[in-house]
Amino acid sequence: MDFQLTKEQEFVRKMVSKFAENEVDPIAADIDKEHRFPEETVEKMAKYHIMGIPFPTEYEGAGGDCLSYAIAVEEIAKKCLSTSTILSAHTSLCTWPIYNFGTDEQKAKYLPDLCSGRKLGAFGLTESGAGTDAAGQQTKAVKDGDEWVINGSKCFITNGGYADIFVVMAMTDKSKGNRGISAFIVEKTDKGFSVGKTEDKMGIHASSTTELLFENMRIPADRLLGEEGKGFKVAMNTLDGGRVGIASQALGLAEGALETTITYMNQRKQFGKKLSQFQYPAFIIADMATRIEAARYLVYYAAWCEDSGVPHMIPAAMAKLYAAETAMFVTTKAVQLHGGYGYIADYPIERMMRDAKITEIYEGTSEVQRLVISSNILNK
Amino acid sequence: MALKIVVCAKQVPDTNVIKINPKTGTLIREGVPSILNNDDANALEEALKLKDKYPDTFITVISMGPPQAKDLLIECLAMGADEGILLSDRAVGGSDTWATSNALAAVIRKIGDFDIIFGGRQAIDGDTAQVGPQIAEKLNLPQVTYVQKFELSDDMKTVTVERNMEDGYEVIKLQTPCMLTCIKELNEPRYMSIDKLFGIKPEAIKVWSAADVEVDLNTVGLEASPTNVFRSFTPAPKGKGITVAGDSPKELADNLLIGLKGKHVI
């Protein structure tokens, strides 16, 4: 067993860590406060090819691997979960399904813009009545000659207000349940498409979360992604990979929270001693570090499985579940260690705890991960 | 005509992290990350800016050091350089600035054809600022140190630079080929680019031995070095200065006088 990263992976960490330190960290608190989507950071990530890491160079990707992508997401999330959410949704939920399920024509048309970051991607599965229960889709797509006519809406869509290209699920045959779902590529300029309400969230304020509305939206027949009726498979496979992205985000957030807490504990003095010199807080740091280490190996293993062609559904579900709960554990404890200062926005830990919660919810709640894991174990 | 540029770069310990063992006076290198020397990053960036403008420009980064200094070349190639050459040989180990410049001049002679050599002003581990100028002397090239602004003429035959001085700057025009040493005011170095990182071909990084560059072994290495490090130490931090306050020049002068007399300076 070799726990060594490759040279490239080490350098990806070095590069993205420096980038996050200089470009992401300085504005993280402000964009959270202002609920502002950091367009300038997305542009910079595009410039340095962070927006298309695990895709081949023929599509203007960086030609890297999934573990390198996971490391990049982790490093950005150490400083700002919102920014890592933008990167993760773009890469895992839009570019990846087009790369994996697209026809040669679709790939040639969409991937260069997405991999280079000239255009931003998003993914639309969730509806007000269909979250975990994907088969409850109300959005309908009806074939009309050479076109699909789509009606309905999506909610809680990451990057919704800023994306150019969307992978959207819709029912093409309601009677077939999950087998009646199909995936489509939607462009923001499509007639009948509009962005609805922007959500006001507990955390990740700088990430754009919106409704998508389709009113008699007509798109050409060749926008069908994958086969008709195979949209559920597209969505589930996409989410398997997406979970590695979210797990990396949660891991990075937990690491960032630990780092900032260590700094605080080495400065803050009570009763004439630094906080780090008291055994109780020091032991909490030990627990945080140990859980983070465990999460790291789950996340890296899931990414490695994806790179190696090993089935990664279960590793990804375990990584997402554990890393998200670690992020919540670490940030909650970190706020407690900061005391009153942890509860005010002057210190980053307040934002980090608000941000952490979403990692237990989006792209499959912790309960869904437990469902995936347990059913695989029990139904063997 | 395609420009050919050589950039001299050094892998150094990150001095923000490094400490000196107070007993032995040596650097504690364990666990200290190695980085591309700051001024050398500015040197490479200026070369890359030329490549942005003239895409057929070919940039060779050269370095000298142990085999792990190859990492530095990976970083330079991921930033956009075309080729990296590491001179790595026990024969050149322990070289001081004179011996190092002999070795690097031999590397550049071996490369042969070039228009400009960019180097950093100095390395943060030694702070000598001697290697760049020595290379220029040994290659018989015109040189300017402390370059804070750079411009290449359209015919690529002359460069105009600003040389930073303590109290201003000089504007100097010189012909190519030439050697320039750069300071941080010159530019803002770019990051590595992920696509360039994954696109590095193994053959783009070469490791040369002393024999490969045909250097006189009596002019390189520890034995041949005319200088050696006598002692390293962390300078004691200076105390905070005193600000003399006063509402008028006269009052200021009075207060200064009182302070100096009080300390028995005058």
Side-chain angles (χ1 to χ4, degrees):
Chain A
M1 180 169 269
D2 185 359
F3 285 94
Q4 208 61 31
L5 295 176
T6 64
K7 263 284 176 263
E8 285 88 355
Q9 289 157 354
E10 277 177 27
F11 272 91
V12 167
R13 184 187 302 289
K14 193 171 172 181
M15 182 270 161
V16 183
S17 149
K18 197 170 168 186
F19 179 89
E21 180 100 33
N22 296 339
E23 312 292 341
V24 179
D25 193 41
I27 60 168
D30 289 342
I31 58 177
D32 173 73
K33 209 168 286 175
E34 297 158 11
H35 293 236
R36 181 173 73 77
F37 184 91
E39 282 180 277
E40 71 274 34
T41 312
V42 176
E43 221 167 89
K44 287 176 196 162
M45 289 197 289
K47 184 175 166 194
Y48 292 102
H49 281 260
I50 299 173
M51 299 296 278
I53 293 176
F55 304 105
T57 49
E58 60 172 307
Y59 297 119
E60 296 190 39
D65 53 346
C66 294
L67 183 47
S68 292
Y69 159 62
I71 289 169
V73 172
E74 173 192 351
E75 289 300 324
I76 303 251
K78 277 185 189 173
K79 304 298 182 192
C80 175
L81 196 74
S82 291
T83 307
S84 72
T85 299
I86 299 166
L87 171 63
S88 178
H90 167 83
T91 309
S92 294
L93 300 187
C94 184
T95 314
W96 190 85
I98 296 177
Y99 174 65
N100 217 45
F101 297 100
T103 60
D104 287 346
E105 291 75 23
Q106 286 170 334
K107 288 190 205 178
K109 183 172 177 194
Y110 293 106
L111 289 179
D113 281 343
L114 287 167
C115 291
S116 64
R118 284 190 295 272
K119 289 190 175 167
L120 188 68
F123 175 79
L125 171 67
T126 304
E127 297 183 5
S128 51
T132 298
D133 177 16
Q137 300 276 311
Q138 295 298 320
T139 299
K140 258 189 257 166
V142 179
K143 191 90 183 268
D144 181 21
D146 276 349
E147 290 180 324
W148 288 96
V149 183
I150 301 185
N151 277 291
S153 66
K154 297 285 167 186
C155 68
F156 302 158
I157 305 307
T158 301
N159 291 349
Y162 291 84
D164 307 281
I165 297 162
F166 302 80
V167 170
V168 170
M169 305 299 145
M171 273 289 177
T172 43
D173 188 346
K174 185 83 188 159
S175 66
K176 290 185 179 159
N178 283 341
R179 291 208 177 99
I181 301 174
S182 300
F184 298 90
I185 302 171
V186 173
E187 298 177 18
K188 78 165 177 201
T189 48
D190 286 332
K191 220 171 165 192
F193 170 82
S194 61
V195 175
K197 166 183 158 214
T198 298
E199 303 296 345
D200 190 3
K201 308 181 292 290
M202 173 194 279
I204 52 166
H205 288 163
S207 144
S208 161
T209 310
T210 70
E211 282 182 324
L212 305 181
L213 309 173
F214 318 105
E215 287 167 273
N216 284 324
M217 181 180 73
R218 286 182 170 270
I219 54 173
D222 63 8
R223 296 281 194 82
L224 179 71
L225 180 63
E227 288 170 49
E228 190 177 336
K230 294 279 173 67
F232 188 72
K233 189 183 149 211
V234 171
M236 291 304 119
N237 279 337
T238 301
L239 290 175
D240 283 343
R243 280 163 194 161
V244 180
I246 305 299
S248 310
Q249 284 187 261
L251 169 65
L253 176 62
E255 288 172 305
L258 176 62
E259 274 170 26
T260 182
T261 306
I262 291 169
T263 307
Y264 179 79
M265 282 178 49
N266 281 326
Q267 284 165 356
R268 173 77 170 166
K269 279 186 179 169
Q270 291 285 274
F271 306 104
K273 283 201 290 185
K274 289 177 184 168
L275 281 194
S276 54
Q277 292 169 313
F278 291 93
Q279 197 175 53
Y280 179 74
F283 277 15
I284 295 177
I285 293 291
D287 289 344
M288 289 177 173
T290 306
R291 290 199 196 192
I292 287 171
E293 200 67 2
R296 186 196 327 278
Y297 290 114
L298 281 172
V299 174
Y300 289 4
Y301 176 66
W304 176 87
C305 287
E306 214 179 337
D307 282 325
S308 313
V310 174
H312 63 277
M313 183 173 78
I314 304 303
M318 286 178 168
K320 203 254 175 195
L321 170 64
Y322 192 76
E325 295 195 344
T326 296
M328 206 57 221
F329 170 82
V330 169
T331 54
T332 312
K333 292 285 185 195
V335 167
Q336 194 67 22
L337 288 175
H338 279 71
Y341 291 110
Y343 201 68
I344 59 171
D346 291 3
Y347 284 80
I349 202 66
E350 178 267 347
R351 163 171 52 90
M352 289 173 155
M353 183 179 149
R354 280 188 287 107
D355 285 353
K357 188 65 200 169
I358 192 61
T359 64
E360 292 185 322
I361 298 171
Y362 64 3
E363 290 190 43
T365 60
S366 288
E367 292 68 35
V368 164
Q369 310 311 325
R370 287 190 168 88
L371 192 72
V372 170
I373 298 162
S374 62
S375 62
N376 187 267
I377 294 168
L378 297 169
N379 301 341
K380 252 186 183 162
Chain B
M1 187 194 79
L3 268 178
K4 285 194 173 153
I5 299 176
V6 173
V7 176
C8 304
K10 185 180 184 184
Q11 190 181 44
V12 292
D14 189 345
T15 47
N16 290 325
V17 188
I18 204 159
K19 291 193 175 78
I20 291 174
N21 181 331
K23 279 184 192 149
T24 60
T26 53
L27 300 177
I28 305 168
R29 288 177 185 266
E30 285 79 34
V32 178
S34 293
I35 57 166
L36 167 61
N37 179 53
N38 301 9
D39 290 342
D40 301 350
N42 297 105
L44 175 58
E45 176 61 30
E46 205 58 27
L48 292 169
K49 280 166 70 180
L50 282 173
K51 194 177 167 72
D52 292 341
K53 194 170 170 192
Y54 308 107
D56 56 354
T57 297
F58 193 87
I59 303 172
T60 303
V61 179
I62 65 165
S63 190
M64 187 172 109
Q68 59 266 31
K70 261 176 86 174
D71 282 2
L72 165 97
L73 298 177
I74 294 176
E75 184 167 348
C76 293
L77 265 67
M79 286 167 76
D82 297 284
E83 177 189 48
I85 298 170
L86 175 68
L87 178 63
S88 192
D89 197 314
R90 287 203 178 277
V92 298
S95 291
D96 70 355
T97 63
W98 182 79
T100 300
S101 60
N102 285 335
L104 291 177
V107 172
I108 298 169
R109 267 188 219 109
K110 181 87 183 174
I111 293 168
D113 189 21
F114 60 86
D115 299 288
I116 303 165
I117 305 172
F118 286 110
R121 166 194 52 170
Q122 64 191 37
I124 55 174
D125 57 349
D127 272 352
T128 67
Q130 291 168 1
V131 173
Q134 289 179 8
I135 289 174
E137 288 303 314
K138 283 160 190 171
L139 295 174
N140 204 19
L141 293 173
Q143 60 164 302
V144 178
T145 53
Y146 297 79
V147 171
Q148 63 174 12
K149 198 174 168 207
F150 169 89
E151 223 178 84
L152 177 68
S153 63
D154 289 338
D155 66 2
M156 297 184 183
K157 294 222 162 55
T158 56
V159 299
T160 308
V161 298
E162 281 181 16
R163 178 171 192 264
N164 180 283
M165 323 268 287
E166 236 173 290
D167 54 354
Y169 61 84
E170 295 173 339
V171 179
I172 303 170
K173 193 169 166 182
L174 65 166
Q175 70 203 41
T176 60
C178 60
M179 166 99 208
L180 306 170
T181 74
C182 309
I183 57 175
K184 69 172 189 301
E185 287 77 6
L186 180 60
N187 54 43
E188 187 67 43
R190 67 196 66 190
Y191 301 102
M192 288 181 264
S193 189
I194 307 279
D195 64 325
K196 291 196 174 76
L197 171 65
F198 282 102
I200 296 173
K201 295 190 174 65
E203 62 269 23
I205 295 178
K206 300 180 175 81
V207 180
W208 285 358
S209 67
D212 288 328
V213 297
E214 297 157 22
V215 66
D216 178 356
L217 292 180
N218 295 315
T219 64
V220 293
L222 187 64
E223 291 294 311
S225 295
T227 62
N228 55 59
V229 177
F230 172 61
R231 186 167 66 93
S232 303
F233 62 96
T234 312
K238 280 188 200 164
K240 223 176 155 189
I242 298 164
T243 309
V244 181
D247 290 333
S248 65
K250 186 176 182 317
E251 198 184 323
L252 268 172
D254 287 347
N255 289 342
L256 178 63
L257 214 58
I258 292 164
L260 290 174
K261 277 189 175 158
K263 287 192 181 291
H264 305 292
V265 178
I266 50 173

